[in-house]
Amino acid sequence: MDGHAGDLGTATEPEPGTEPVIGRDAELARLLRTVVPASAERVLMLVGDVGMGKSALLAHVARRAEADGTHVLRAEGSESESGLAFSALHQLLRPVAAEMDRLPERQRAALRDAFGAGPASPAHTTASDPLLIGVAVLSLLSALGDQQPVLVVLDDAQWCDRASLDALAFAARRLDGDDPVTVLVATRNAHLPGLDRHIPTLPLEPLDHAAANQLLGLQPNSPTGRTRKQILDQADGNPLALAELTRAASLHGAAASLPSAGPLPLTDRLERLFAARLDGLPAHTAHALLLLAAMDSVDSALAVPAGLPDAGDAVWLPAEEATLVRRTGRNIRFRHPLVRSAVYHFARSDARRAAHRTLAELLRDEPDRRAWHRAAACPGPDAAVAAELERTADRARRRGGYAAAAKTLQRAAELAPERENGARLLVEAARAAVFTGDLAWVEELAAAVRARTDDASLLTAAAVQAGRLAALTVRHTAVFSRLADAADQLAVSRPTPALDLLAGAAVVRFYSGEDAQRHRIQALLRRLPEDAAHLGLRTWVQTVSDPFGNRPHLASLLPRLSADAETHPERLVAVGIMAWLLDETPQAVRAFDAAFGRWELRGPLPEGLGGAVAWAYVERGRWGQAREGCARITAVGRSAGLDHAVACAAAVDATVLAYQGDAAAARARAEDALALTDPLESRSVAVYVRRALGAASAAEGAYESAYGQLRMAFTAGGAPLHYHASYPALADLAAAAVRTGHHKEATQIVERSARALADNASPRLRALISRARGLLADPEDAEPHFRAALADPVLENWPFERAQTLLDFAEWLRRRRRIAEARAPLTEALETFRRLGARPWIERARTESRAAGLDVTDTPPDALAELTPQQQQIIRLAARGLTNREIAEKLFLSPRTVGSHLYRSFPKLGITARSQLRDLLEGFATPLISPTETGC
């Protein structure tokens, strides 16, 4: 670990059997506050250089927590196990295996698969769902918290495998005050892959001079005079250095025995100091130390029970006397990772290889560890070991350990004797690394492929993998150029992969909204031969990059593409996205429902334009499902470090929250989206955010602010800022304009958009433009526009937009004293708003209804509207019969959080039991869509 008792302290009184901690009063106090069950801070990352005492602080806090009745779960990263998927998580949860068996079946199976205990047949090739594993960890920690407070301690996290960090970070982000679970993480690096950068950090700085002096005075044989000054100077406030330099001086009796203060970094000098203690050790002790260093597995007692001498064996005594190891019960451990590093790196290379061969023989029943040890024992290329590593990588991939798989394949490529096979392995490594979201790593692997082979198919495959990930990043301008250039180079010789690259470029074009990119895509598409087998991909490129350029033709292709994709869920999702882009939202939702009925979104990356799924559900009035989709995109995007995907989901989420009347939450989510993207690089997100902020202001009646936000969805000259995202804002812009005196400007914007769309406008957009014209027209001229906006029955497929139009028309009718005519559209609008839970619009419709002489009383839908959007989601799922655990799994919450929301919601709804929910909701839950379309 990164420190040990006696290496740091505070004025705090030491506990029995421990040494005091020096100079860390503030840090220790904050850590102890975090562990208190009522603490608002559930997660904290302790960051500091090697030797700063992170481990000692964690150990101190863990002892105090255990004494107070807290269940402590511990794990520590191991450099040698960083390539083994879920090894740190397995270490953490192994002591609570019995609780794992009580998880819901899907979650239990996901964890068993992650730990390599699931189906092992070759037919089991579907990768585990990383989010389901995260949900399982969250459920498990929450269940443990039901029994007693829980403290999770993760030390040396910089060496933990990425899959474990992803799962733990997923759970940690969803802990709140309802879960008495605290997570403390210690690491040398402030930014760890897999751990959210917004997790609060506690830095450990060097001890000040007074604390360093105090710590030095507590060391055995505390030095004096020149030796003391030299140690203080060299240690520079590092607690480990203070302790180890003192030990070195006392062993040799003089300051002259201390290492030079330069030019090596302190870490290297300490490592050499530890290595010096190896001299003179008995051969059998040195051999045992090297085996321990080569293995360095926390669960070595289970993995290689016969591999090392027992902790009580006398072979360890010389190493213990040299302060290299510590024996605790049956465990033998290095005193510090630098000791392990010194033992390993200062051994002869042939001795290291021999140690790994020995461990490989001992680990015959642990194929993944055995493969890595065999690789470490190789003096050069070895086809058999490379093949074994490839099998290990496949197992890691199937468990969702993509980082481990990529790392293993990269090592396999190094050992492959044939260059072409090595290049193939590097392509596979890039394919796996894509799912980590680490674009720099993927590009490094692609460069390695180029350095190893001239094979066009392998070079193209590497380029496609890099392009696949690049399309999901926020660097739209640079990425588009790279994808378009690569497609241009391959257009003649390899048109199929060129079209793949162009499909990614089209996604980037949608995100950026840059019109020059549309022209380049069209030029490249003309260079590619038309092939019936590529109809879907060509249609995708055209639809994504320019949906209103030739909308009737593109829409006519959807039925054929949908039929061709019927048995391919991932292709159905693509058809659904295209249908949404073309404003064929009902068809889009049917495609999504059909796809998810056969194949849940189990991938570890958000699909290109994955936010389209959530938007389609918003438009169809299925706001709960839209928010569920946003939660998944957010979780996956954060895990992979893909800020743009997270921003897209935040923008959709903000819009729904605004419609539901939670303006503060909507603005917070909108700010999240803006903080993650550059509005000049991502016009799509910028426009979505402005629409959400406009809706939030309108919900509060702040129409000047609403107009200002919606106006930013268009350029200064009135053109759409984004070729697809801006158009749906036209009617809301007009609604805000008529209340703020911006008639003229809004009219110019609406008419400019109408001219630009012309015959390519969808029925939905024609209705929105008609509503806008009705709002902006002189009162005597408005009626035909409102009636045109409501004329087409297909517009019922956009229930919120239709209800807004009904309300606007009813207000116009009442102002014209046609009160009897206003009542029918008012009644329909109010019913729709109630079913959707659109609280601000419910109030507007109720006020208008009373003015029209309608008897409007409080009803259950109004009571439901008093709940937060998340409580509404939970109530609706509970009414369908889902258990707390099932709801938690669906919404990525802990069961305890779900239960807490239900407990707080029942009094607001006037009920006392879960069984009353169905009856409560039946009065207003008439579906806005047919049951076959719900997919619920």
Side-chain angles (χ1 to χ4, degrees):
M1 295 172 69
D2 188 34
H4 42 276
D7 286 357
L8 72 162
T10 125
T12 304
E13 193 68 26
E15 298 178 19
T18 69
E19 299 178 45
V21 183
I22 303 298
R24 301 297 191 195
D25 298 281
E27 293 89 343
L28 184 59
R30 183 175 175 188
L31 288 167
L32 290 173
R33 285 197 305 271
T34 303
V35 174
V36 173
S39 171
E41 195 170 57
R42 312 308 303 168
V43 187
L44 185 62
M45 189 155 64
L46 191 61
V47 181
D49 287 338
V50 60
M52 282 297 176
K54 301 184 293 296
S55 300
L57 273 172
L58 291 183
H60 190 98
V61 172
R63 284 193 298 270
R64 287 277 294 272
E66 283 180 319
D68 292 339
T70 296
H71 189 162
V72 179
L73 298 173
R74 298 179 179 86
E76 62 183 82
S78 167
E79 193 171 10
S80 65
E81 293 191 344
S82 61
L84 298 174
F86 297 106
S87 58
L89 189 65
H90 191 198
Q91 180 192 156
L92 186 77
L93 300 182
R94 193 176 59 218
V96 291
E99 287 293 334
M100 287 170 53
D101 291 338
R102 298 188 183 99
L103 290 173
E105 182 179 354
R106 291 179 70 240
Q107 296 178 30
R108 183 173 65 250
L111 273 184
R112 286 178 58 82
D113 283 352
F115 297 154
S121 67
H124 182 67
T125 56
T126 301
S128 298
D129 181 357
L131 294 192
L132 188 57
I133 294 169
V135 170
V137 174
L138 177 62
S139 297
L140 179 59
L141 294 178
S142 181
L144 292 170
D146 288 337
Q147 303 167 22
Q148 64 188 115
V150 176
L151 171 61
V152 175
V153 176
L154 188 64
D155 200 3
D156 284 325
Q158 73 278 355
W159 287 329
C160 288
D161 65 280
R162 173 67 182 273
S164 293
L165 291 177
D166 285 343
L168 188 59
F170 177 95
R173 281 192 296 266
R174 284 155 182 80
L175 296 171
D176 57 31
D178 296 316
D179 294 293
V181 181
T182 303
V183 179
L184 299 180
V185 179
T187 176
R188 298 179 189 177
N189 309 316
H191 300 293
L192 280 177
L195 280 178
D196 193 294
R197 60 179 172 273
H198 300 301
I199 289 177
T201 61
L202 175 59
L204 275 190
E205 303 295 341
L207 297 177
D208 61 28
H209 186 74
N213 247 318
Q214 186 181 358
L215 178 57
L216 201 53
L218 293 173
Q219 301 304 311
N221 303 311
S222 178
T224 59
R226 185 169 65 89
T227 302
R228 186 182 190 87
K229 182 178 185 305
Q230 189 174 353
I231 289 173
L232 286 170
D233 289 344
Q234 287 198 30
D236 195 25
N238 184 293
L240 176 68
L242 285 165
E244 297 303 333
L245 290 171
T246 300
R247 289 189 180 104
S250 64
L251 284 173
H252 297 87
S257 64
L258 296 176
S260 167
L264 294 175
L266 177 61
T267 299
D268 292 344
R269 284 185 276 128
L270 283 171
E271 187 173 297
R272 293 193 174 203
L273 186 151
F274 289 129
R277 298 182 196 167
L278 299 172
D279 295 338
L281 289 179
H284 59 296
T285 299
H287 177 67
L289 282 173
L290 183 55
L291 282 176
L292 183 63
M295 177 177 56
D296 195 33
S297 173
V298 176
D299 57 353
S300 57
L302 293 177
V304 282
L308 289 171
D310 184 83
D313 196 299
V315 71
W316 298 111
L317 184 58
E320 190 174 35
E321 290 175 344
T323 65
L324 297 171
V325 297
R326 179 190 295 113
R327 292 189 283 182
T328 307
R330 296 185 301 169
N331 295 323
I332 184 76
R333 302 286 302 283
F334 286 113
R335 291 188 64 89
H336 193 275
L338 284 181
V339 179
R340 179 229 178 232
S341 181
V343 170
Y344 188 81
H345 291 294
F346 282 85
R348 299 190 321 272
S349 58
D350 59 337
R352 290 199 299 267
R353 288 195 296 271
H356 285 294
R357 281 195 298 272
T358 299
L359 291 169
E361 285 301 310
L362 293 168
L363 288 163
R364 289 179 180 175
D365 295 331
E366 296 282 338
D368 296 337
R369 286 188 172 91
R370 170 186 164 85
W372 273 105
H373 282 297
R374 287 194 67 195
C378 285
D382 189 310
V385 175
E388 191 172 345
L389 284 172
E390 188 173 6
R391 291 190 292 271
T392 288
D394 185 56
R395 287 189 290 270
R397 180 193 59 78
R398 285 188 275 119
R399 298 201 301 272
Y402 294 95
K407 185 176 180 180
T408 304
L409 287 163
Q410 192 172 11
R411 177 62 176 140
E414 294 170 359
L415 293 176
E418 298 178 2
R419 291 177 63 81
E420 293 301 305
N421 191 40
R424 178 188 65 81
L425 290 166
L426 287 169
V427 169
E428 291 303 312
R431 198 184 308 277
V434 161
F435 297 114
T436 69
D438 190 339
L439 182 58
W441 188 13
V442 176
E443 291 176 335
E444 173 193 326
L445 292 166
V449 174
R450 292 193 295 272
R452 188 178 284 250
T453 185
D454 295 324
D455 184 285
S457 62
L458 292 173
L459 293 172
T460 300
V464 168
Q465 293 308 316
R468 180 185 181 192
L469 180 56
L472 297 175
T473 68
V474 295
R475 296 154 44 191
H476 300 318
T477 302
V479 167
F480 179 86
S481 295
R482 182 188 310 159
L483 293 172
D485 289 347
D488 196 5
Q489 293 171 7
L490 295 169
V492 175
S493 61
R494 303 187 67 80
T496 299
L499 193 55
D500 281 334
L501 291 165
L502 203 55
V507 172
V508 178
R509 143 74 173 159
F510 181 88
Y511 289 149
S512 73
E514 176 58 55
D515 207 47
Q517 295 175 358
R518 173 176 63 90
H519 297 307
R520 184 154 193 215
I521 287 173
Q522 290 173 339
L524 285 167
L525 203 56
R526 285 193 293 269
R527 292 187 59 203
L528 296 172
E530 294 199 29
D531 185 334
H534 297 150
L535 176 64
L537 208 50
R538 288 185 71 93
T539 306
W540 169 273
V541 172
Q542 292 172 304
T543 302
V544 172
S545 62
D546 191 16
F548 299 122
N550 190 4
R551 181 189 171 277
H553 170 69
L554 294 172
S556 72
L557 298 174
L558 291 176
R560 175 181 169 184
L561 294 175
S562 182
D564 291 344
E566 188 174 0
T567 58
H568 301 278
E570 67 281 6
R571 284 165 55 188
L572 268 177
V573 171
V575 171
I577 292 171
M578 287 187 282
W580 171 75
L581 287 165
L582 296 168
D583 273 341
E584 298 289 340
T585 306
Q587 187 171 347
V589 169
R590 286 194 296 273
F592 295 144
D593 287 344
F596 304 155
R598 303 183 182 94
W599 171 73
E600 294 188 13
L601 278 178
R602 301 176 68 88
L605 280 187
E607 293 295 319
L609 294 181
V613 179
W615 276 120
Y617 286 139
V618 170
E619 291 170 10
R620 285 296 285 123
R622 290 161 60 171
W623 293 352
Q625 278 182 280
R627 296 203 69 206
E628 289 172 30
C630 290
R632 183 176 189 94
I633 293 170
T634 300
V636 173
R638 280 180 172 166
S639 176
L642 296 174
D643 288 347
H644 196 270
V646 177
C648 289
V652 183
D653 214 21
T655 302
V656 176
L657 288 165
Y659 290 166
Q660 293 174 323
D662 195 341
R667 290 192 177 96
R669 293 294 281 140
E671 290 302 322
D672 289 342
L674 289 175
L676 292 170
T677 56
D678 178 350
L680 298 178
E681 281 278 291
S682 184
R683 291 177 180 85
S684 60
V685 170
V687 169
Y688 291 140
V689 167
R690 296 306 166 190
R691 283 168 51 185
L693 291 171
S697 293
E700 296 176 323
Y703 292 107
E704 189 68 50
S705 172
Y707 183 81
Q709 294 292 346
L710 294 167
R711 179 64 182 82
M712 284 190 276
F714 300 86
T715 68
L721 186 64
H722 187 274
Y723 63 92
H724 185 272
S726 291
Y727 289 124
L730 288 169
D732 290 336
L733 177 80
V738 298
R739 291 170 170 85
T740 55
H742 295 286
H743 287 73
K744 184 177 180 180
E745 183 180 47
T747 299
Q748 291 172 344
I749 293 172
V750 170
E751 295 307 322
R752 177 168 182 167
S753 291
R755 289 192 299 272
L757 288 166
D759 293 338
N760 283 312
S762 64
R764 176 202 182 195
L765 290 183
R766 285 198 295 271
L768 289 173
I769 290 171
S770 293
R771 177 191 167 209
R773 284 169 168 165
L775 287 163
L776 294 167
D778 291 335
E780 61 273 15
D781 299 327
E783 184 171 5
H785 298 300
F786 283 129
R787 292 199 180 279
L790 295 167
D792 193 336
V794 76
L795 300 176
E796 294 180 2
N797 290 310
W798 290 268
F800 183 63
E801 293 173 3
R802 176 177 169 82
Q804 286 179 298
T805 305
L806 287 166
L807 180 56
D808 289 337
F809 185 35
E811 288 176 337
W812 180 86
L813 288 168
R814 189 183 63 79
R815 288 195 300 270
R816 306 293 291 175
R817 301 186 184 279
R818 295 161 62 178
I819 294 175
E821 292 178 71
R823 290 170 180 166
L826 275 173
T827 300
E828 183 181 345
L830 180 57
E831 179 186 354
T832 300
F833 290 140
R834 281 173 165 166
R835 288 189 303 213
L836 293 172
R839 193 182 315 172
W841 283 266
I842 292 172
E843 292 306 314
R844 266 188 61 198
R846 288 176 62 185
T847 300
E848 192 67 24
S849 296
R850 291 192 187 99
L854 290 171
D855 182 18
V856 182
T857 58
D858 289 338
T859 60
D862 296 311
L864 187 69
E866 292 304 312
L867 304 181
T868 69
Q870 187 168 78
Q871 287 171 342
Q872 290 181 35
Q873 279 184 285
I874 291 170
I875 287 294
R876 292 182 187 278
L877 292 172
R880 282 166 40 192
L882 274 68
T883 66
N884 285 11
R885 283 185 165 184
E886 290 169 335
I887 296 170
E889 184 175 309
K890 205 169 186 63
L891 300 183
F892 308 116
L893 301 170
S894 75
R896 179 187 285 264
T897 299
V898 171
S900 177
H901 278 305
L902 287 171
Y903 177 79
R904 290 195 290 266
S905 300
F906 281 12
K908 297 178 183 178
L909 296 173
I911 62 175
T912 58
R914 198 186 195 101
S915 58
Q916 298 172 273
L917 285 173
R918 183 178 293 275
D919 291 339
L920 176 75
L921 299 187
E922 272 183 355
F924 63 93
T926 304
L928 298 171
I929 45 185
S930 66
T932 57
E933 186 183 309
T934 63
C936 296

